[in-house]
Amino acid sequence: MEFGLRIDSQSLAQSNSSAGRLEVAAWRVGQILRAFVVEGTPAQAGGGQAKLQIGGLLIPVRSSTPLQTGESLRLSVQRTPNEVVLRQMPPAASSSTPPQTAAVERALRSLLPVQQALDSSLRALSKLLPQLPTTTAAPARGLLNNTPTPAQLATPTGLKQALNNSGLSLEARLVGGSTPPPSDMKIAVGRLLESIPNQVPEHTALAQTRQIGESIQARIGIHQLASQPTANTTNAPLVWTIELPIAQGQDFHSLHIEIESDSPSSEHETAQENWTVRIQLPLGESNTLEAVVTNRLNIVSAHFWSSNPSITDRISNALPELAAAWESHGLTPGLLQSHHGTAPGSPSVTPTTSGLVDTRA
């Protein structure tokens, strides 16, 4: 069977996991499962042994195709007379592009050449600040000063405020009749652009500032478009892409977040309880911490990656503390692991949407 993953019944029996055997036995034909590849197939092999996290359980499988550690899968349960087979669900084909999708793709094509990462844009604006006239320096300084710090993002209130100020929900708030916060990033960039005269000489600080403001607006717009529901895919997951700038001393960095939630119309009756969060967090000196946190049937698991071995070890030693903290908040910890290296399928530095640029091929 194409895309076949067969449950390794012998390994499952040897693991003494009665919960795993009961879970597999309870699966219904046609049921849709979300899986996380904990151990991929051997390198340079066309397939082989692998381990999947399904819910809070480790399920050994034999795959006919390569599986990469950290990969997320959407599987359909099938059965033969002798075994359980999980069929990997390919993207649904579409004979034509819906008007909404076409409009999103046109908007993306216009924004992609203009956009720049938020951290590099704010870094450039900070360097231009002493050269700007007072009328433009004031809104530029307000934009820079409203950038959250690591200390603010480390608290639930500070993180919520940063998300509210990110500009991603500005239009939704206006349509809903609510007043956006004055520190909303998109509003702050608008004030900055309004302060620049229509006619300014090229290659001046004001012209460069206008370019920076337009690049920030385009970047936020791309994230908004990338978070639109996929109109041409049945039961497609809902995905939100978020980029939060971070002010660290005189420098700026970006926190990248991707949140994926199963579609409410998914075949699985518990689809709305399942979500995945992928995070890229800069740690300075070219070090980046990547994390994948999943919730499957109210069991929360987490995998962390770092190219720095000492950071990998520190995270590994802190995992029991993380499990205890989750339990204290009523959560059920699942698999918690720390890996050395780079996470596969991590959030794209340049956000896109399916159909225009496929970063997951």
Side-chain angles (χ1 to χ4, degrees), residues 59-271:
I59 305 295
V61 297
R62 290 176 285 113
S63 175
S64 59
T65 58
L67 296 177
Q68 188 176 12
T69 301
E71 187 178 0
S72 295
L73 304 175
R74 185 167 177 263
L75 306 171
S76 174
V77 177
Q78 309 292 324
R79 291 186 184 271
T80 70
N82 300 318
E83 60 184 350
V84 176
V85 178
L86 301 176
R87 184 177 185 274
Q88 187 170 340
M89 302 292 289
S94 176
S95 57
S96 61
T97 302
Q100 178 184 352
T101 302
V104 169
E105 292 181 357
R106 287 195 300 271
L108 277 170
R109 288 191 178 95
S110 67
L111 294 177
L112 281 170
V114 181
Q115 62 87 35
Q116 294 290 334
L118 296 183
D119 54 353
S120 59
S121 296
L122 293 175
R123 198 176 294 126
L125 181 61
S126 178
K127 292 179 180 179
L128 286 173
L129 193 58
Q131 306 174 45
L132 298 176
T134 304
T135 52
T136 301
R141 190 174 293 107
L143 174 61
L144 296 170
N145 291 342
N146 281 330
T147 304
T149 65
Q152 291 171 326
L153 294 178
T155 66
T157 301
L159 178 59
K160 181 178 180 180
Q161 182 179 359
L163 292 171
N164 287 336
N165 291 342
S166 66
L168 295 175
S169 57
L170 172 61
E171 289 79 3
R173 282 197 176 96
L174 294 174
V175 170
S178 61
T179 303
S183 53
D184 183 279
M185 192 172 190
K186 224 173 180 183
I187 292 179
V189 173
R191 287 196 294 264
L192 174 65
L193 293 174
E194 288 174 358
S195 72
I196 302 175
N198 292 330
Q199 301 296 329
V200 295
E202 294 184 7
H203 309 299
T204 63
L206 282 173
Q208 295 175 50
T209 299
R210 173 183 289 158
Q211 184 178 9
I212 291 171
E214 291 173 348
S215 73
I216 293 175
Q217 281 190 334
R219 185 75 168 189
I220 297 173
I222 287 174
H223 283 298
Q224 291 175 308
L225 292 172
S227 300
Q228 294 296 309
T230 305
N232 61 337
T233 304
T234 304
N235 293 333
L238 306 176
V239 180
W240 296 269
T241 62
I242 304 165
E243 182 179 355
L244 294 180
I246 306 173
Q248 197 163 19
Q250 300 301 313
D251 201 3
F252 296 87
H253 302 282
S254 288
L255 169 64
H256 296 268
I257 306 173
E258 181 182 276
I259 304 173
E260 179 179 320
S261 174
D262 282 357
S263 169
S265 60
S266 174
E267 299 94 323
H268 199 293
E269 63 270 18
T270 56

Side-chain angles (χ1 to χ4, degrees), residues 25-39:
W27 289 344
R28 306 183 308 277
V29 173
Q31 181 177 343
I32 302 301
L33 304 174
R34 295 304 300 270
F36 183 85
V37 181
V38 177
E39 292 184 14

